Amino acid sequence: MPHVLLIEDDASVRDGMELVLRRHGYGVDAAATGEEALALLAGARGARVELAVLDLMLPGMDGFEVCRRIRARTAVLPVIMLTARGDDQDIVTGLEAGADDYVVKPVTAPVLEARIRAALRRAEPSLRRAGDADLAGLVIDRAGLTVTRHGTPVPLPPTELRLLLELSASPGRVFTREQLLASVWDHTFLGDSRLVDAAVGRLRAKIEEVPGRPRYVQTVRGFGYRFGPL
């Protein structure tokens, strides 16, 4: 049974979401503050958490900082952020902090559960094999699902790893943002290109020598992205 950490300060919202998740078969740990959530993750109960649902507007430590600290602790825990306003800057800042996806409150139970299922699928090992890649210092081991740069391991969260695997499986092919949303995020509805752009930015910061002049994950203006070098 997948186990979710729900971080939400509004007791009525938290209780309602916890009830929905439990009815769908999830185990749930709930926290009212970022500090409480981080303490839980650091303890014995944290080992069972497979996904975090994180409200951005928390008392004390806000959700942006909580997300950064989760990412500093682990690259593999999927994080879905909740935002009440759907404000563009909040969404972009949250994604840049390391969130894998977002939903705008109030969120319906089917949408939240669908986003959680998609995030958990992304966290599962990929079975796709298209040959390993060794590109001038960047080594992608598709069997072991590892990435190294100049011999140094590059830990990637599930979304960024799947994005890299998807792009590198077809070097030179141009992928639209909509195609990447469908294949990496499983978003066949309610998709948002900001998810793709933010994940590309985070991925470039980790694998490119000069992120501002990317060699591997290249932008094709007006179309999308492709994997190089060509």
Side-chain angles (χ1 to χ4, degrees), residues 16 32 42 52 129 132 149 157 191:
R129 293 291 303 277
D132 296 348
R149 195 180 78 172

Side-chain angles (χ1 to χ4, degrees), residues 5-61:
L5 174 58
L6 174 60
I7 312 164
E8 166 64 62
D9 66 307
D10 187 312
S12 61
V13 173
R14 186 174 65 248
D15 291 346
M17 294 177 70
E18 182 174 356
L19 180 62
V20 165
L21 292 173
R22 290 191 183 280
R23 283 179 174 172
H24 281 85
Y26 296 94
V28 180
D29 277 313
T33 67
E35 292 85 350
E36 182 183 350
L38 292 172
L40 188 149
L41 285 172
R45 292 162 61 194
R48 65 185 182 180
V49 174
E50 298 175 59
L51 179 141
V53 177
L54 170 64
D55 186 27
L56 288 184
M57 298 296 107
L58 295 171
M61 185 187 301

Side-chain angles (χ1 to χ4, degrees), residues 73-113:
R73 181 189 302 272
T74 174
V76 299
L77 182 69
V79 177
I80 298 176
M81 64 181 188
L82 301 174
T83 173
R85 296 176 296 177
D87 180 79
D88 281 356
Q89 188 55 51
D90 278 357
I91 291 168
V92 170
T93 302
L95 294 173
E96 289 176 347
D100 297 281
D101 200 352
Y102 77 92
V103 291
V104 177
K105 295 192 296 185
V107 57
T108 64
V111 169
L112 177 62
E113 209 270 328

Side-chain angles (χ1 to χ4, degrees), residues 196-210:
V196 180
D197 295 338
V200 166
R202 298 195 306 264
L203 180 60
R204 283 173 172 166
K206 296 168 185 173
I207 68 170
E208 300 285 357
E209 296 288 348
V210 183

Side-chain angles (χ1 to χ4, degrees), residues 111-158:
V111 169
L112 177 62
E113 209 270 328
R115 295 294 182 92
I116 290 174
R117 280 190 285 108
L120 290 171
R121 282 196 299 270
R122 290 197 298 275
E124 295 172 355
S126 173
L127 300 179
R128 296 190 57 196
R129 293 291 303 277
D132 296 348
D134 188 343
L135 303 163
L138 182 70
V139 179
I140 304 169
D141 179 351
R142 306 186 75 86
L145 297 176
T146 61
V147 178
T148 59
R149 195 180 78 172
H150 302 305
T152 301
V154 180
L156 295 175

